[in-house]
Amino acid sequence: MELVNKKLPLVAISSCLTGQAVRYDGLHKFTPLLIHSLAQKVRLLPVCPETAIGLSVPRNKIQLTYQQDQVKVLDTADLTCDLTDLLRDYALDFIKEHKLSGLVLQEKSPSCGVNNCKLFNIHGQKIGYHSGVFAATIIKTQPQLPICCAIDLQHDLTKIEFIKKIQSYAQYNT
Ligand code: SF4
């Protein structure tokens, strides 16, 4: 579902930030002020990679796990359940399908987080931070695309700067 004015740059946004109750715990992360100010300048396209690959609401918690020299997304209740390829393939299809000029994503998510999701080893010990697989795939595939976490857009100045980046990207790339 796209929201408002088709002439504005298209920006994907984590669905939970728009108020959709799609999180693993059945809740959302609605950020009305951010949504309202972005919607004046860009066209918002909500996306939830986890429900898009078929996970239910609610669902088991998933986590980034470093295994066999790779960052994987595993189900915390069943570490043999590996969702990495599904999330990566969905990210590739998603950016192919939509002419995006930016992304605004939920922080700390093993799918959507940008550099701020906890990374664990196979023994469940925290060993650092990494981007979620959906975000990491898009960053790797389209490194110039403006992308950030909603939490980084709390201040007016950073929001204005980010919107300028989106507009400039849209002007030269779409
Ligand atoms: S952070 Fe991303 S994957 Fe998780 S509920 Fe929100 S939109 Fe879905």
Side-chain angles (χ1 to χ4, degrees), residues 13-17 22-24 27 47-51 59 105-107 109-113:
I13 184 162
S14 295
S15 297
C16 54
L17 291 167
V22 287
R23 279 168 49 95
Y24 74 95
L27 301 177
V47 57
C48 175
E50 291 175 20
T51 56
R59 55 186 170 275
L105 297 172
Q106 169 61 19
E107 60 171 341
S109 153
S111 305
C112 293

Side-chain angles (χ1 to χ4, degrees), residues 127-148:
I127 54 171
Y129 293 89
H130 200 273
S131 291
V133 166
F134 176 78
T137 303
I138 293 179
I139 291 166
K140 191 174 172 191
T141 312
Q142 293 195 8
Q144 306 303 323
L145 189 65
I147 175 168
C148 76

Side-chain angles (χ1 to χ4, degrees), residues 66-137:
Y66 195 69
Q67 190 184 51
Q68 294 162 345
D69 295 328
Q70 285 181 51
V71 174
K72 297 189 172 181
V73 182
L74 305 181
D75 187 324
T76 54
D78 175 7
L79 293 182
T80 64
C81 179
D82 183 347
L83 301 165
T84 318
D85 290 347
L86 278 174
L87 283 165
R88 189 184 302 124
D89 291 349
Y90 178 72
L92 293 172
D93 288 347
F94 184 76
I95 48 170
K96 224 180 271 174
E97 187 181 343
H98 302 285
K99 286 243 175 255
L100 296 180
S101 296
L103 284 103
V104 177
L105 297 172
Q106 169 61 19
E107 60 171 341
K108 299 180 183 172
S109 153
S111 305
C112 293
V114 181
N115 296 324
N116 54 19
C117 183
K118 287 178 188 166
L119 176 65
F120 297 87
N121 64 19
I122 50 167
H123 306 296
Q125 295 155 329
K126 194 184 96 179
I127 54 171
Y129 293 89
H130 200 273
S131 291
V133 166
F134 176 78
T137 303

